[in-house]
Amino acid sequence: DTAVSQTPKYLVTQMGNDKSIKCEQNLGHDTMYWYKQDSKKFLKIMFSYNNKELIINETVPNRFSPKSPDKAHLNLHINSLELGDSAVYFCASSFGLAHSTDTQYFGPGTRLTVL
Amino acid sequence: DQQVKQNSPSLSVQEGRISILNCDYTNSMFDYFLWYKKYPAEGPTFLISISSIKDKNEDGRFTVFLNKSAKHLSLHIVPSQPGDSAVYFCAAQTYSGGGADGLTFGKGTHLIIQP
């Protein structure tokens, strides 16, 4: 009965590979997000997605692309992985629009290690 | 460019005493503030929030105080319990602004409750 789930929990891969992280929420929320927690422990927003509207943080490289097959899923695809992509990636969801004050619920995180 | 700062990486408090976690912000456009709690290997979970029109919000053992003129907020936990040991993230959001900017997080404070 996990509210926001992510797979895989751990991902170890080589530089240059392409990988995906999946996120699913069963809360009936309208908006989903991806955050990155880097080695300095900062949690930073990467994307928010609501009703087919994608808001991208301008600092995110275009190697990163979110894909939403339906309202309950927002997957993160990463092309040509680089060492600096190593981080913990958190998916989140909220009921309302991304700029509303509705509580965001986070998944458990995916630890990506690029070798 | 840290817009949300938590200057204490860790804090140790005796069980039963008050824990006070501090947070400073620089962006005067922020008008909604939240505290999230995070256990190891889990995603952040929402704890308490406060709108900029208020200076205090209380929920059980948790109280958040906001000093807008000082751009400072604090989380008070009283009495502190062993289960409160976790990393606490301060986060801020622009509620009335156009576009979705997600949550801006601080670096977190690791609270350790000593028995």
Side-chain angles (χ1 to χ4, degrees):
Chain A
D1 60 346
T2 305
V4 182
S5 59
Q6 295 178 228
T7 53
K9 195 166 176 64
Y10 300 96
L11 180 56
V12 181
T13 187
Q14 300 286 334
M15 272 175 54
N17 284 351
D18 303 336
K19 290 293 178 185
S20 295
I21 306 172
K22 294 185 177 180
C23 177
E24 177 181 359
Q25 54 94 4
N26 61 6
L27 298 166
H29 285 168
D30 295 315
T31 303
M32 296 184 73
Y33 312 79
W34 277 103
Y35 286 83
K36 176 182 179 182
Q37 186 178 31
D38 59 24
S39 58
K40 295 181 181 178
K41 304 299 182 188
F42 280 108
L43 262 166
K44 293 182 181 175
I45 182 77
M46 299 178 72
F47 306 99
S48 64
Y49 189 86
N50 172 278
N51 197 26
K52 301 190 188 304
E53 181 189 16
L54 176 65
I55 308 294
I56 301 172
N57 184 321
E58 60 189 13
T59 66
V60 175
N62 57 14
R63 297 182 294 104
F64 291 78
S65 57
K67 298 238 180 351
S68 180
D70 55 58
K71 202 172 84 164
H73 296 83
L74 184 66
N75 303 324
L76 182 64
H77 296 269
I78 316 170
N79 294 325
S80 302
L81 277 156
E82 299 178 358
L83 292 175
D85 298 333
S86 295
V88 181
Y89 292 85
F90 289 97
C91 176
S93 70
S94 67
F95 181 68
L97 295 175
H99 57 266
S100 76
T101 57
D102 292 324
T103 300
Q104 293 185 24
Y105 294 84
F106 283 77
T110 296
R111 182 174 291 279
L112 170 66
T113 303
V114 181
L115 303 175
Chain B
D1 175 26
Q2 294 180 51
Q3 296 188 66
V4 178
K5 298 178 186 179
Q6 293 176 257
N7 293 319
S8 298
S10 66
L11 175 67
S12 185
V13 175
Q14 212 163 10
E15 183 179 355
R17 299 282 181 100
I18 183 170
S19 294
I20 301 176
L21 295 97
N22 293 304
C23 177
D24 298 294
Y25 62 95
T26 57
N27 187 343
S28 57
M29 297 298 292
F30 288 143
D31 47 20
Y32 192 70
F33 304 90
L34 309 91
W35 285 93
Y36 276 80
K37 177 179 178 179
K38 185 182 180 302
Y39 292 118
E42 293 184 12
T45 54
F46 171 75
L47 196 57
I48 192 169
S49 63
I50 188 166
S51 163
S52 60
I53 62 173
K54 294 185 174 182
D55 54 17
K56 178 182 173 181
N57 189 24
E58 196 170 348
D59 183 3
R61 296 185 298 114
F62 303 91
T63 304
V64 56
F65 294 92
L66 175 63
N67 182 333
K68 277 184 65 180
S69 59
K71 293 193 179 69
H72 176 84
L73 63 154
S74 60
L75 174 68
H76 292 213
I77 307 173
V78 56
S80 301
Q81 298 174 354
D84 296 331
S85 295
V87 177
Y88 288 79
F89 289 96
C90 174
Q93 193 174 20
T94 303
Y95 173 56
S96 55
D101 53 3
L103 294 170
T104 301
F105 282 88
K107 212 167 165 178
T109 296
H110 185 192
L111 177 64
I112 302 161
I113 305 301
Q114 306 276 9

